[in-house]
Amino acid sequence: MYLKDLRESKELLMYRKLNARKNLNAEEAAHHLNLEKGFEGEKQFEAWLKLHQGNGIILSDLLLETNQTTYQIDSLYLSPQKIYLFEVKNFEGDYHLDKDKWLSPVKKEVKNPLLQLSRNETLFRILLQEHHFQLPIEAILVFINPRFHLYQASSSHPIIFHSQLDRFAKALKKNSAAPLKAFHSKLAEKLLALHQEESRFERLPEYEYDELEKGVGCRFCGSIYSTFQNSKFHCSNCEFAESHFPAILRAIEEFQFLFPERKLTVEQVWEWCHLVKSKKTIRKILNNHFFQTGNGRAIHYVPREKV
């Protein structure tokens, strides 16, 4: 049973959309890559956990606040016997542990994920106490990438490497054999209610409308479609072809995501979609999916649910 699936953060979605429409600088490109790798690792672990969950409840990517401190839990698993709190890393290469120092393959010091895990466990334990829930917590640092190795790691560290996942699955199955009780569902619902959608940790990039390439993004690979013929967009990067209605509607949603302060007009959407020559086509899609408001030159469109 899984009540909260993993989803891309606003930060990652924004970097993906901007990456297709402008040249990211070196710092932005590196941050985008780290976001993608982190999300891919969490997605792999979530898929693995769903295969071995037994009677437990999975809550992915929780953003909580305790004692005015916001913290993120990559994956939480409520089993009948205990709560598993997972911190998932998709590191790759040979890392070295020197006391509390973690050194990357290029000998650059990185944040100690064990300290982060310990901090999250402490804050989460306080949160449970505040809401009168009593269950043992086991906090585990998971390295999901098979091409990762940590030198000088101790067996006392709460770490699971990729090669140990199969053995851990047996322990998980054993602790998930009994049926859940009513308070497990009550706890899951409480955590969902406490989850915060907006993260203070997000580093949103700066961008201007004029610097972005205009056009419709490919549904398959994300590149900007190169041609528009016979009511279909065609991608030169992956050779995918798509009907114009869903593609334009998706481009409108992307425009609203990137520029929520700008009014949605036929002229604006026509300019944003670039390859579409007919404003009549744009107007038809807007009329079918949005509500028209204003008069004369002030006519614009808003989502129907806001009317």
Side-chain angles (χ1 to χ4, degrees), residues 160-179:
I160 292 178
F161 299 100
H162 185 274
S163 60
Q164 298 173 313
L165 284 173
D166 287 343
R167 291 198 297 276
F168 178 65
K170 295 177 181 178
L172 205 62
K173 183 178 180 181
K174 182 179 178 181
N175 286 323
S176 306

Side-chain angles (χ1 to χ4, degrees), residues 91-97 102-105 110 148-151:
F91 292 174
E92 185 173 349
D94 294 334
Y95 281 67
H96 291 76
L97 183 55
W102 286 62
L103 302 176
S104 72
V110 298
F148 169 82
H149 186 78
L150 180 62
Y151 289 96

Side-chain angles (χ1 to χ4, degrees), residues 3 9 12 20 43 46 49 59 96 103 115 124 130 132 137 151 178 180 196 217-218 221 254 268 279 286:
L3 294 184
S9 65
L12 175 55
K43 189 166 66 173
E46 182 186 65
L49 192 55
L59 297 168
H96 291 76
L103 302 176
L115 294 179
F124 184 68
E130 289 176 346
H132 311 293
I137 301 172
Y151 289 96
L180 293 173
Q196 301 179 8
C218 173
C221 73
E254 181 177 356
Q268 177 68 86
K279 293 183 182 180
L286 287 171

Side-chain angles (χ1 to χ4, degrees), residues 21 43 67 275:
R21 296 181 180 274
K43 189 166 66 173
N67 291 349
L275 291 175

Side-chain angles (χ1 to χ4, degrees), residues 44-207:
Q44 288 177 21
F45 181 73
E46 182 186 65
W48 179 90
L49 192 55
K50 286 179 179 180
L51 287 175
H52 303 282
Q53 69 181 97
N55 293 327
I57 298 174
I58 299 173
L59 297 168
S60 297
D61 195 26
L62 284 173
L63 189 64
L64 303 170
E65 183 174 321
T66 304
N67 291 349
Q68 298 182 326
T69 301
T70 304
Y71 56 105
Q72 184 175 350
I73 297 176
D74 292 339
S75 184
L76 204 66
Y77 179 64
L78 310 184
S79 79
Q81 305 296 330
K82 64 171 75 173
I83 298 175
Y84 290 94
L85 189 157
F86 298 107
E87 177 74 23
V88 182
K89 296 299 182 185
N90 193 17
F91 292 174
E92 185 173 349
D94 294 334
Y95 281 67
H96 291 76
L97 183 55
D98 182 9
K99 296 182 180 178
D100 285 337
K101 276 186 177 182
W102 286 62
L103 302 176
S104 72
V106 293
K107 299 297 185 283
K108 180 180 179 181
E109 186 172 355
V110 298
K111 287 183 179 179
N112 185 338
L114 287 172
L115 294 179
Q116 182 180 353
L117 178 72
S118 177
R119 169 180 172 272
N120 286 357
E121 180 186 4
T122 299
L123 291 169
F124 184 68
R125 196 180 303 279
I126 295 171
L127 183 144
L128 290 184
Q129 292 170 356
E130 289 176 346
H131 294 279
H132 311 293
F133 289 100
Q134 291 185 347
L135 267 177
I137 301 172
E138 183 174 354
I140 301 173
L141 177 60
V142 178
F143 290 104
I144 196 67
N145 197 319
R147 295 178 295 278
F148 169 82
H149 186 78
L150 180 62
Y151 289 96
Q152 283 83 47
S154 169
S155 59
S156 64
H157 290 142
I159 294 175
I160 292 178
F161 299 100
H162 185 274
S163 60
Q164 298 173 313
L165 284 173
D166 287 343
R167 291 198 297 276
F168 178 65
K170 295 177 181 178
L172 205 62
K173 183 178 180 181
K174 182 179 178 181
N175 286 323
S176 306
L180 293 173
K181 297 180 180 179
F183 76 87
H184 289 95
S185 297
K186 190 179 293 187
L187 172 57
E189 290 169 4
K190 171 58 70 174
L191 292 173
L192 286 176
L194 293 172
H195 168 69
Q196 301 179 8
E197 293 295 337
E198 293 292 327
S199 172
R200 302 175 192 171
F201 304 130
E202 291 180 333
R203 293 164 44 192
L204 301 180
E206 295 183 359
Y207 55 93

